[in-house]
Amino acid sequence: SKGSPTTVLHDGMLAVQSLRVVDAPGARPLLRFTGLALKGLHVDVERQRVEADSVLLDGATAVVRRLADKSLNIEHLLKLPRKPSGGGASAAPPARWDIVVGDVRLTDFSAELQQVFGQEAVTWKELRIGRPEFRMDSRDASATEITLQAGRLSFADPSQQPPVRLSVTDLAVRIGAFSLRGSADPTPVKIEARIDESGRLQITGEGNPAGAHRLATVQGELDNVNLVPF
């Protein structure tokens, strides 16, 4: 009715399966996934607020590659169109949406980076972001926790002789509650991994993402690793 707020409410689950994003004819998909599920969606147009109970992205793969002009293919997808200059109607005020999600999970993810630094591949079993919030008016982002489980990173540089190879396995990351606008309490960080199946890496510390000094304290241990000079 006239004067009533405009809202979109969906208490069930929205699901998308087998989606592919292709950035160039004949190229491997830039992004594809087997399933995307969004539960408990609530869009309040009057208040410019989007809420969801949970978001699950499963089986995603990404291919990032360097183009002939030295840019990355993903850069062109992130560029916003230029605003027209000169006269004409005044531009609409910028949107100031708030986005709040109870839980975001990215499971069974893999990415391939071609000629970015060398040849890299990244995989993980699960990346979880607890209650992420994004506020466009204050340019703030926050979360109660970020965890990554069973991650793997492999790097190869065939331009070196002999070729340089390095793998990071059993990667586990935990980042505590944080806000980009600053917080009174520092954010705890813990990273554990194995290097080339035998070495051990452990990093612990805390910091403030919005502070002048990003890391307040950090301590690392690296054992049984053979470093190959470039």
Side-chain angles (χ1 to χ4, degrees):
S1 61
K2 185 177 180 180
S4 62
T6 303
T7 60
V8 177
L9 178 63
H10 184 79
D11 288 327
M13 178 177 291
L14 297 176
V16 179
Q17 294 183 338
S18 301
L19 179 68
R20 300 194 308 165
V21 178
V22 179
D23 63 319
R28 294 171 57 191
L30 170 64
L31 175 67
R32 63 181 176 183
F33 57 82
T34 57
L36 171 65
L38 192 152
K39 185 177 180 181
L41 175 65
H42 181 225
V43 181
D44 189 331
V45 178
E46 187 74 16
R47 296 171 54 204
Q48 294 188 332
R49 183 176 178 87
V50 178
E51 297 180 358
D53 293 339
S54 64
V55 175
L56 172 63
L57 181 63
D58 181 57
T61 61
V63 177
V64 179
R65 62 183 183 278
R66 194 173 296 281
L67 304 179
D69 62 358
K70 304 301 182 181
S71 65
L72 300 178
N73 59 339
I74 195 172
E75 293 181 36
H76 302 278
L77 297 180
L78 299 177
K79 289 181 179 178
L80 297 176
R82 293 183 177 180
K83 296 181 180 179
S85 58
S90 59
R96 303 185 181 279
W97 287 82
D98 291 342
I99 302 174
V100 181
V101 183
D103 185 77
V104 175
R105 291 193 299 139
L106 284 74
T107 57
D108 294 326
F109 174 85
S110 64
E112 182 179 324
L113 289 73
Q114 301 176 357
Q115 298 180 353
V116 177
F117 299 102
Q119 188 79 20
E120 301 86 35
V122 181
T123 64
W124 65 64
K125 183 64 178 177
E126 180 182 80
L127 172 65
R128 178 184 173 274
I129 307 175
R131 193 169 176 78
E133 298 187 15
F134 305 92
R135 300 177 181 85
M136 296 184 181
D137 57 345
S138 59
R139 298 182 180 180
D140 184 22
S142 63
T144 58
E145 184 182 57
I146 298 178
T147 58
L148 185 144
Q149 299 179 14
R152 180 183 179 92
L153 169 64
S154 61
F155 170 82
D157 186 355
S159 66
Q160 301 293 322
Q161 293 298 328
V164 175
R165 293 181 174 85
L166 178 69
S167 66
V168 178
T169 59
D170 299 332
L171 177 62
V173 179
R174 181 187 180 278
I175 302 174
F178 74 92
S179 171
L180 296 183
R181 298 290 292 180
S183 173
D185 299 323
T187 300
V189 178
K190 184 176 182 179
I191 301 173
E192 294 180 327
R194 301 193 72 83
I195 309 296
D196 288 332
E197 305 294 343
S198 60
R200 185 176 68 90
L201 171 67
Q202 183 173 5
I203 298 175
T204 57
E206 56 185 22
N208 186 343
H213 303 286
R214 303 293 179 179
L215 285 177
T217 59
V218 63
Q219 178 178 349
E221 295 182 10
L222 187 62
D223 298 330
N224 196 28
V225 175
N226 294 322
L227 300 178
V228 180
F230 280 69

